[in-house]
Amino acid sequence: MKWRSLEESTPDTELRPLREIFAERKESIAKYVPAETQAVHVRAVAGLKQQGLATNILGVGSKIPEFQLKDHDGNGVFSSDLLAKGRLVLCIIRGRWCPFCVAQMEAMNLVLPEIEQADATLAVISPQTVQQSFFMRDQHKLRFPLLSDAGNKVARQFGLTYRVPDEQKAIYQRAFVNLPFVNGDDSWELPIPATYIFECDGTILYASANEDYTERPEPADIVRFLQTLH
């Protein structure tokens, strides 16, 4: 199945709500993916919700866990360097193999000028390797740093990590989603998607996470939040 980019699906460049893009992907999945496979993913999400993973994440008022990660070009990036530029929008995603992560990143790319106009920067963390981040940035023409969180060390400090259930792992393997190769380890561990906004001193001003990887904050809402601060 080929997932269209936002540029392909919206030639007039008008920014559509992310929920509309996600609805199209869900419609395609419902049409082309076997029902028993869809049921496995539904059970996996339900299991995470039962654990209450999203309710126990690092929340508003807490401080950012300091980190140094490699970007898509292999350069070291410190959290302090990002915060020195102003407020920071930080998205934590699963990887380039996830169509919902791709859609979110393309949508965030479109609002990047507005984020910067609000004196903020955007960065993204995922467990994928530096090489995979390079491919993602190049393929989707992203204009912000993609940071490689090897072993989910940073995501774990945010309280976002979980191990892929065995039946979902089998589905991914059959679909050639090779997480050990993509992430460079055999843990089969992922973060639930999350979006944070930090003040310059590292204080969390906004925190959103969801065990359901098909639900993410609207980029326009992130921009509006920044504008109220600005």
Side-chain angles (χ1 to χ4, degrees):
M1 184 185 308
K2 181 181 185 296
W3 301 103
R4 295 182 300 166
S5 69
L6 297 192
E7 290 181 351
E8 290 175 314
S9 58
T10 55
D12 56 2
T13 69
E14 180 181 351
L15 180 62
R16 297 164 59 205
L18 190 58
R19 61 181 175 273
E20 290 185 8
I21 306 298
F22 279 11
E24 291 178 354
R25 279 159 168 67
K26 291 176 184 179
E27 184 179 347
S28 294
I29 288 170
K31 183 176 181 181
Y32 296 108
V33 176
E36 58 271 22
T37 298
Q38 296 180 51
V40 169
H41 295 309
V42 169
R43 286 195 294 272
V45 169
L48 292 175
K49 286 185 176 292
Q50 285 181 347
Q51 296 176 35
L53 203 58
T55 61
N56 295 310
I57 65 168
L58 204 61
V60 172
S62 300
K63 289 283 189 176
I64 186 173
E66 296 184 1
F67 59 78
Q68 179 189 14
L69 299 174
K70 290 185 178 180
D71 69 8
H72 49 274
D73 288 325
N75 299 316
V77 175
F78 288 88
S79 53
S80 56
D81 293 337
L82 294 171
L83 292 168
K85 300 176 183 178
R87 295 189 177 99
L88 172 64
V89 179
L90 185 68
C91 296
I92 301 174
I93 64 171
R94 307 192 317 155
R96 67 188 288 256
W97 53 273
C98 171
F100 297 94
C101 292
V102 168
Q104 182 191 20
M105 293 301 94
E106 290 184 329
M108 293 300 290
N109 205 41
L110 291 176
V111 300
L112 183 60
E114 295 171 81
I115 290 174
E116 293 175 340
Q117 287 169 12
D119 295 330
T121 58
L122 171 63
V124 175
I125 288 176
S126 79
Q128 65 191 5
T129 64
V130 169
Q131 185 180 46
Q132 294 296 316
S133 291
F134 175 87
F135 290 153
M136 184 178 192
R137 191 173 190 269
D138 181 64
Q139 180 180 2
H140 301 285
K141 301 178 176 62
L142 304 179
R143 293 168 292 158
F144 44 81
L146 302 182
L147 308 178
S148 177
D149 181 20
N152 284 288
K153 293 182 178 65
V154 175
R156 188 172 295 105
Q157 293 182 71
F158 280 97
L160 300 169
T161 56
Y162 70 96
R163 189 179 185 281
V164 176
D166 287 342
E167 66 170 352
Q168 190 177 41
K169 174 181 175 181
I171 294 293
Y172 285 153
Q173 289 174 320
R174 288 201 294 271
F176 302 105
V177 177
N178 187 348
L179 288 188
F181 174 77
V182 172
N183 293 347
D185 66 59
D186 59 0
S187 68
W188 282 88
E189 188 178 67
L190 290 173
I192 61 171
T195 301
Y196 284 90
I197 297 176
F198 300 93
E199 186 54 271
C200 303
D201 65 359
T203 302
I204 299 174
L205 303 175
Y206 173 98
S208 174
N210 199 320
E211 298 93 346
D212 185 347
Y213 55 85
T214 70
E215 300 290 338
R216 318 276 174 108
E218 288 289 339
D221 291 341
I222 299 299
V223 169
R224 279 192 287 271
F225 186 91
L226 289 168
Q227 290 171 339
T228 62
L229 300 173
H230 187 61

